[in-house]
Amino acid sequence: MNPAPYIQTHPSDNVAVVVSSAQKVALVDLAAGDAILRYGQTIGYAKQAIPKGTLVLAELIDLPEAPSLDELDLSSCNPRLPEPLEGFTFDGYRNPDGSVGTRNILAITTTVQCVAPTVDYAVRRLKSEVLPRFSNVDDIVALTHTYGCGVAIDAPGAEIPIRTLRNISLHANAGGTPLIVSLGCEKLQPERLFQNELPLLEAPNLVRLQSYGGFAATVSAIMEAAERRLTVLNHRARVAVPASELVVGLQCGGSDAFSGITCNPAVGFAADLFVRAGATVLFSEVTEVRDAIHLLTARAATPQVARDLVREMRWYDDYLARGRADRSANPTPGNKRGGIANIVEKALGSIAKAGTTPIRGVASHGERVTSKGLVFAATPASDFICGTLQLASMNLHIFTTGEGSPYGLSLVPVIKVSSRTSLAERWHDLIDVDAGRIASGSSTIEEIGWEIFRFALDTASGRRKTWAEHWGLGNSLTPFNPAPVT
Ligand code: CA
C-alpha cells in the first residue's frame, strides 16, 4: 500500500504532518496572525506569512492563551454511554479486598529512604536464595523512595505522597498486604502511613531496623518475614475474572507529531473497548490536558465531574505559578525535534489516548480510583511521577512513545506502543506494539486498538510478558511531593 506523503488529522486543518519527517507543512497560504489549525483546533498563530507547501516550524508559531477555567462548557456534549462489550475475561488474582492482581509480587514497603539500601540488600539475597522455592510468585519488589523524613509532613500537599505510598503498598499485585520496613525515628511512622489499616502493623509484618542488633540480624529479620509472606503468596491462584476488573493507566512519554495520529488514537480506541467491557481507564498528565480542558469538561458525565476537572486544573495552575513556571516548560527538546510545536499541539495529541467515552470521575493525585469507566487521575506529566501516582490504582499500564523510552515499572506490566514503525524496528526488543503501521497505511486505528486490547488481556493473564518485564526494567518510585522539604 502506498502511504500518503502527509497526514491531515481533521478536515478543517490548515497544516498536515509530513510522513517522512514528522514536521508540519502548510496546506494553504497563511498570513501573519492567522490561526494554525490541527486536530480541528487552534494550536497557535502564524508569527509571519507562511506560504503553502512550506514547513511550519515551532519558531513560526505564537503560543495561544490557555483556555480560561472560568468560562468552560460543563458537561454539555453529553456523550452517550458506549455499547457494552461482553464476554472478555482475563486470569487474575482475586484479593480479599475485592481488587484483582495481574501479577503475584511480594512488595516490601519502606517508610523512609534511610532503610532503602538495607532492603535492597535483603531483596538481592531473597531473590537468589529464597524466591526460587516459591515458583508461583513472580517477583520481590522493594518499594523504596525518597520520601519519609526531612519533610514538612503536616504541610498542605504532604497528604499526596503519603496517600500515594499507602495505596501503592496495598497494591492488588501484592495481594493487598505489604511487608513493612521502618527505620524507627522517621517522620512517616508506619502508624501514620497505615492509620486505617493498623492490624497490618503486627509483628512479623513490620520490621523496625532500630530494634535489631546490627546489620546481619536486621537482614535476617526481613528475610524471615519475607519468607512468611512468600508462603502465603505462593498459594494465590489465577482465576478467570471479567475484563471489568482491569484498571488500565494510560501515559505517554517522548511524544512526537505522530503520537497524536497513530499510537494515541489507537490506545484511545482500546480505551473505549476497556470502558465498554466495564473496566476502569485512567488518563492523567495535567500539563498535557490543560490546553484541551475545554474539550474534556464538555465530555464530563455530569457537571460535578466537570467541576472536579476544573479543580485539578486550577490546583496545578497555582502550583506552577508558585514555582514561577509556565506551561511553555513542556514540551521537551525531543518533542520539538519530533515535530510538536508547543504544549497546545501536544495536549491535543495526548488526549486522543482518552478515547471518546464520557469522563465518569476525577481523582486527585495519588487517590485510589474505585469507579468504573474513564477517569481523569491527576498527575504531573513526568513519566516516573505519573506512573508512581497511577500505581495507587492501576493493575496494568499502557505507555505510548514516539522518540522512545525504555521506561518500566516493577509492580505492573508496562505495555509500550510506538508511534512510528522506525522506532519499533530500531527498538525491536523494547516496543511491544507498533502503531506506526497506521501511518504507513498497512493497519487501521481500529485494528491496532483491538491488538492493544487483546495484548492487554493476555498480559494481565500472565500468558504474555512485556519487554520491560522480560528485561526487568523498573523505574524508581517517585512520589509527588508538592510540600516543603525541611
Ligand atoms: Ca508522561
Side-chain angles (χ1 to χ4, degrees), residues 251-253 285 288 381-383:
Q251 201 196 162
C252 46
E285 302 175 282
E288 291 178 11
S382 154
D383 294 351

Side-chain angles (χ1 to χ4, degrees), residues 251-255 285 288 346 379-384 386-387 399-400:
Q251 201 196 162
C252 46
S255 298
E285 302 175 282
E288 291 178 11
K346 190 170 176 180
T379 76
S382 154
D383 294 351
F384 337 103
C386 171
F399 184 87
T400 63

Side-chain angles (χ1 to χ4, degrees), residues 119-156:
V119 173
D120 286 337
Y121 178 91
V123 167
R124 279 198 299 277
R125 281 193 52 191
L126 282 162
K127 282 189 180 183
S128 68
E129 299 168 27
V130 181
L131 185 60
R133 286 192 275 117
F134 297 91
S135 58
N136 199 27
V137 179
D138 294 311
D139 202 3
I140 302 174
V141 174
L143 300 178
T144 56
H145 54 84
T146 55
Y147 197 72
C149 209
V151 289
I153 206 157
D154 294 311

Side-chain angles (χ1 to χ4, degrees), residues 151-370:
V151 289
I153 206 157
D154 294 311
E159 72 280 5
I160 291 175
I162 295 172
R163 72 175 170 231
T164 306
L165 290 171
R166 169 188 174 275
N167 287 331
I168 292 174
S169 302
L170 303 174
H171 198 275
N173 285 359
T177 310
L179 170 62
I180 304 149
V181 178
S182 149
L183 179 63
C185 61
E186 69 274 22
K187 277 192 168 175
L188 184 58
Q189 287 289 309
E191 291 76 11
R192 180 165 187 146
L193 186 57
F194 296 107
Q195 53 187 314
N196 299 317
E197 298 85 15
L198 291 177
L200 282 182
L201 305 182
E202 282 164 21
N205 221 26
L206 170 62
V207 176
R208 283 186 208 265
L209 263 59
Q210 287 167 344
S211 310
Y212 291 88
F215 183 74
T218 306
V219 170
S220 294
I222 296 171
M223 290 182 67
E224 280 165 29
E227 191 158 343
R228 267 186 287 266
R229 278 294 302 153
L230 285 167
T231 306
V232 174
L233 291 169
N234 207 41
H235 285 109
R236 289 172 100 198
R238 288 189 184 269
V239 292
V241 296
S244 58
E245 298 293 356
L246 281 178
V247 183
V248 184
L250 307 179
Q251 201 196 162
C252 46
S255 298
D256 66 8
F258 280 104
S259 296
I261 302 172
T262 59
C263 52
N264 289 355
V267 167
F269 188 88
D272 285 356
L273 296 177
F274 290 122
V275 169
R276 288 174 58 197
T280 304
V281 173
L282 312 177
F283 73 109
S284 296
E285 302 175 282
V286 174
T287 49
E288 291 178 11
V289 307
R290 174 66 181 84
D291 281 270
I293 190 61
H294 53 299
L295 305 176
L296 297 175
T297 52
R299 265 176 67 190
T302 65
Q304 185 55 48
V305 170
R307 282 191 286 272
D308 291 345
L309 274 168
V310 171
R311 176 196 73 211
E312 293 304 324
M313 298 301 119
R314 209 182 288 288
W315 186 94
Y316 215 92
D317 279 0
D318 293 344
Y319 169 72
L320 289 179
R322 280 203 302 280
R324 298 199 183 158
D326 68 34
R327 59 209 241 284
S328 64
N330 187 340
T332 66
N335 292 150
K336 289 183 176 163
R337 189 178 62 227
I340 293 177
N342 59 31
I343 187 58
V344 183
E345 186 177 16
K346 190 170 176 180
L348 293 166
S350 174
I351 64 163
K353 294 197 298 297
T356 60
T357 64
I359 300 166
R360 303 284 295 279
V362 175
S364 290
H365 298 90
E367 281 180 350
R368 166 83 50 105
V369 173
T370 51

